[in-house]
C-alpha cells in the first residue's frame, strides 16, 4: 500500500499535473471569445509547432515540469533543425492538448462526483452533474465517496506518466543531435586522454630530470657541478609549472585561450636540460623544422621529450644520439642510447605506449626496443 501512495508524496506528480493543465488556459480564453469553435486552438497549434524555437520552449518546460531533477531525461532543448523535428513538435503539441483536456475533465468531473455522492449521503438530491441525477438519497452512498477520488488519483498519475513518455518520444533528441552528442562525448574523452598524456610527459620529464640531477650532484661532490645541477633543476621546475598551469587551464575553462604548447622549435631547451643532467647528447637536426605543421611539431616535441626522459630514467647519464629530420612529407625522429645493465625502478611502459599512441593519432608509426646493443626509439610522422 505505501508503494501505491508514493506518487502522492512526490513533487513530480504535481508538476506533471500542472504541465497538463497549462494548455487548457489557452482553450479557456478562446471559449470566452468564440464558444462555438472549441477546436480552433488545436488548429492554431499546427503553424505554431512549425516554428523551430517552439521545440526548444517545449523541451525546457518538459524537462522542468515532467522530469525535474533528472540529469539526462532524454528530452532535447535544441530548436527544430529539420522538418521531421518540426512535425514531431506539432504532434507533441496536439498530444499535450488532448491529454490536457482529459486531465481537466477528470479534475472537474471526478472530484465533483465525490462531492455529489457525499450530498446524496446526507439526503440532498444530486444535481449539476450528468449520470448522477438518478441516484437516491441514501447514507450508504457515503461509502462510495472516496472511489472517484481514488480514480482521479490513478488518472492523474497515469496521465503524468503518459505525457512524460510522449515527451521523451516526440521531444527526444533527433538522430543528428544524438550523433553530435556522441561526437562531443568522444572529443571530451580524447581531451582527457590528451591531458593525461600531457601531465605524464611534462611532469614526468621534469621529475626525472630533477632526480637524476640531484643524484649526480650528490655523487660528484663538486660545488661547481652542484651549482649547475641546481640551476638546471630550477629551470626544469619552472618549465614544468608552466606546463601544469596550461593543462589545468584546459580543465578549468575549455574555451579559454591557452599559451602555445612547445614545438620542435623549443627542442634546444629540452636537449640542454638533458645535458645538464649529465647525458652526452649528440643532436643532429636536418630540414626545415620550423615549417613542420603545428600538431605534428607539438607531438614530435613530446615524443622527443619522452624518449629523453626514458633514457635518463633507465640508463642514467649516458651518451644519447638524437636525430631529427624533415624530408619530403615526413618528420623522422630517432633517439638511441646504450642499454643499461639493469633497468632500475618500476616500469609499466606507459611512456612507450604514449609515444606509439601519439604517432598513431597523426597517422604515423613508432618503433621502440633494443637494437644493436642500444635502446632505440624511432618515429615517423606524416606532415600532411
Amino acid at each position: 500500500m505505501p508503494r501505491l501512495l508514493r506518487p502522492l508524496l512526490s513533487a513530480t506528480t504535481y508538476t506533471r499535473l500542472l504541465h497538463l493543465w497549462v494548455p487548457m488556459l489557452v482553450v479557456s480564453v478562446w471559449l470566452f471569445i468564440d464558444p462555438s469553435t472549441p477546436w480552433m486552438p488545436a488548429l492554431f497549434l499546427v503553424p505554431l509547432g512549425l516554428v523551430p524555437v517552439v521545440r526548444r520552449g517545449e523541451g525546457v518546460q518538459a524537462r522542468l515540469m515532467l522530469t525535474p531533477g533528472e540529469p539526462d531525461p532524454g528530452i532535447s532543448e535544441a530548436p527544430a533543425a529539420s522538418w521531421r523535428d518540426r512535425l514531431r513538435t506539432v504532434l507533441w503539441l496536439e498530444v499535450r492538448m488532448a491529454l490536457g483536456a482529459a486531465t481537466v475533465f477528470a479534475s472537474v468531473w471526478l472530484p465533483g462526483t465525490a462531492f455529489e455522492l457525499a450530498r446524496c449521503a446526507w439526503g440532498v438530491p444530486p444535481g449539476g452533474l450528468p449520470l448522477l441525477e438518478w441516484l437516491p438519497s441514501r447514507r450508504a452512498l457515503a461509502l462510495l465517496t472516496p472511489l472517484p477520488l481514488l480514480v482521479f488519483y490513478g488518472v492523474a498519475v497515469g496521465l503524468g506518466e503518459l505525457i512524460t513518455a510522449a515527451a521523451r518520444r516526440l521531444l527526444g533528441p533527433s538522430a543528428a543531435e544524438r550523433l553530435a552528442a556522441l561526437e562531443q562525448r568522444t572529443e571530451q574523452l580524447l581531451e582527457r586522454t590528451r591531458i593525461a598524456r600531457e601531465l605524464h610527459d611534462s611532469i614526468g620529464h621534469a621529475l626525472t630530470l630533477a632526480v637524476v640531477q640531484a643524484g649526480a650532484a650528490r655523487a660528484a661532490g663538486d660545488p661547481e657541478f652542484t651549482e649547475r645541477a641546481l640551476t638546471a633543476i630550477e629551470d626544469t621546475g619552472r618549465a614544468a609549472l608552466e606546463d601544469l598551469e596550461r593543462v589545468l587551464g584546459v580543465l578549468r575553462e575549455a574555451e579559454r585561450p591557452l599559451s602555445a604548447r612547445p614545438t620542435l622549435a623549443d627542442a634546444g631547451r629540452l636537449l640542454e636540460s638533458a645535458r645538464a643532467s649529465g647525458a652526452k647528447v649528440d643532436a643532429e637536426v636536418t630540414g626545415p623544422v620550423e615549417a613542420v605543421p603545428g600538431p605534428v611539431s607539438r607531438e614530435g616535441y613530446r615524443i622527443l621529450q619522452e624518449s629523453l626522459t626514458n633514457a635518463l630514467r633507465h640508463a642514467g647519464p649516458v651518451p644519447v644520439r638524437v636525430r631529427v629530420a624533415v624530408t619530403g612529407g615526413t618528420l623522422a625522429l630517432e633517439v638511441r642510447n646504450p642499454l643499461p645493465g639493469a633497468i632500475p625502478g618500476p616500469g609499466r611502459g606507459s611512456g612507450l605506449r604514449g609515444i606509439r599512441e601519439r604517432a598513431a593519432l597523426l597517422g604515423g608509426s613508432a618503433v621502440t626496443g633494443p637494437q644493436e646493443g642500444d635502446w632505440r626509439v624511432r618515429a615517423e610522422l606524416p606532415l600532411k
Side-chain angles (χ1 to χ4, degrees):
M1 189 64 176
R3 183 177 180 180
L4 295 176
L5 295 179
R6 191 176 301 168
L8 191 63
L9 304 177
S10 174
T12 303
T13 301
Y14 302 99
T15 57
R16 288 176 176 176
L17 189 60
L18 180 60
H19 184 270
L20 287 164
W21 282 340
V22 167
M24 294 300 102
L25 296 177
V26 178
V27 177
S28 300
V29 172
W30 179 257
L31 290 178
F32 279 108
I33 299 173
D34 187 3
S36 63
T37 57
W39 43 266
M40 187 60 70
L43 185 62
F44 176 71
L45 292 179
V46 175
L48 181 65
L50 297 178
V51 179
V53 75
V54 171
R55 184 168 180 261
R56 168 177 284 175
E58 290 296 319
V60 171
Q61 289 184 60
R63 290 172 69 105
L64 181 64
M65 303 181 73
L66 298 181
T67 58
E70 292 189 25
D72 187 15
I75 299 174
S76 175
E77 293 184 352
S82 64
W83 279 103
R84 178 181 174 84
D85 290 342
R86 297 180 186 184
L87 294 177
R88 290 170 67 201
T89 306
V90 172
L91 183 57
W92 157 255
L93 293 174
E94 298 292 351
V95 168
R96 183 181 179 186
M97 178 163 285
L99 294 180
T103 304
V104 169
F105 178 79
S107 302
V108 173
W109 194 80
L110 291 173
T113 300
F115 179 73
E116 291 297 331
L117 289 174
R119 282 164 52 90
C120 291
W122 285 97
V124 179
L129 287 177
L131 305 179
L132 297 182
E133 298 176 353
W134 55 271
L135 287 177
S137 300
R138 295 179 182 176
R139 292 191 180 276
L141 293 177
L143 299 176
L144 298 178
T145 301
L147 183 59
L149 298 178
L150 291 176
V151 173
F152 174 64
Y153 170 63
V155 169
V157 174
L159 289 177
E161 293 291 341
L162 185 59
I163 192 67
T164 303
R168 290 192 172 105
R169 179 72 175 177
L170 299 175
L171 296 179
S174 62
E177 290 173 341
R178 287 194 295 269
L179 180 60
L182 180 60
E183 290 178 350
Q184 182 180 7
R185 176 63 177 166
T186 303
E187 287 295 328
Q188 290 175 348
L189 292 176
L190 290 175
E191 183 68 11
R192 291 180 182 179
T193 302
R194 188 185 69 78
I195 290 173
R197 192 159 50 234
E198 288 281 324
L199 287 174
H200 172 270
D201 290 350
S202 60
I203 306 304
H205 173 77
L207 292 176
T208 298
L209 287 181
V211 170
V212 172
Q213 289 162 351
R218 183 176 60 182
D222 183 356
E224 184 178 351
F225 182 84
T226 301
E227 180 66 24
R228 291 200 306 270
L230 291 176
T231 302
I233 291 174
E234 181 182 5
D235 293 340
T236 302
R238 291 184 186 278
L241 287 175
E242 292 176 1
D243 284 342
L244 180 61
E245 179 63 26
R246 178 176 49 77
V247 173
L248 291 179
V250 175
L251 295 175
R252 293 193 200 103
E253 189 175 354
E255 297 180 358
R256 173 185 171 189
L258 303 177
S259 57
R261 294 169 57 193
T263 64
L264 286 175
D266 305 310
R269 185 185 67 179
L270 197 61
L271 299 175
E272 287 302 321
S273 297
R275 292 189 180 102
S277 301
K280 300 179 179 62
V281 180
D282 176 18
E284 181 180 335
V285 180
T286 58
V289 176
E290 65 281 353
V292 174
V296 179
S297 186
R298 288 191 290 267
E299 297 305 320
Y301 177 92
R302 291 306 187 192
I303 291 174
L304 179 59
Q305 183 184 56
E306 182 61 30
S307 301
L308 291 173
T309 299
N310 288 334
L312 290 169
R313 179 184 298 147
H314 299 302
V318 297
V320 180
R321 179 183 176 186
V322 176
R323 296 292 182 266
V324 179
V326 180
T327 56
T330 303
L331 168 66
L333 296 166
E334 184 179 50
V335 178
R336 300 179 68 128
N337 62 272
L339 283 171
I343 298 176
R348 295 182 297 174
S350 59
L352 299 179
R353 185 167 59 251
I355 291 175
R356 292 189 289 268
E357 287 177 355
R358 288 181 182 277
L361 284 174
L362 294 174
S365 61
V367 178
T368 60
Q371 184 182 34
E372 300 177 356
D374 290 342
W375 183 266
R376 174 175 177 258
V377 176
R378 179 170 177 81
E380 294 186 357
L381 308 178
L383 299 181
K384 297 181 180 179

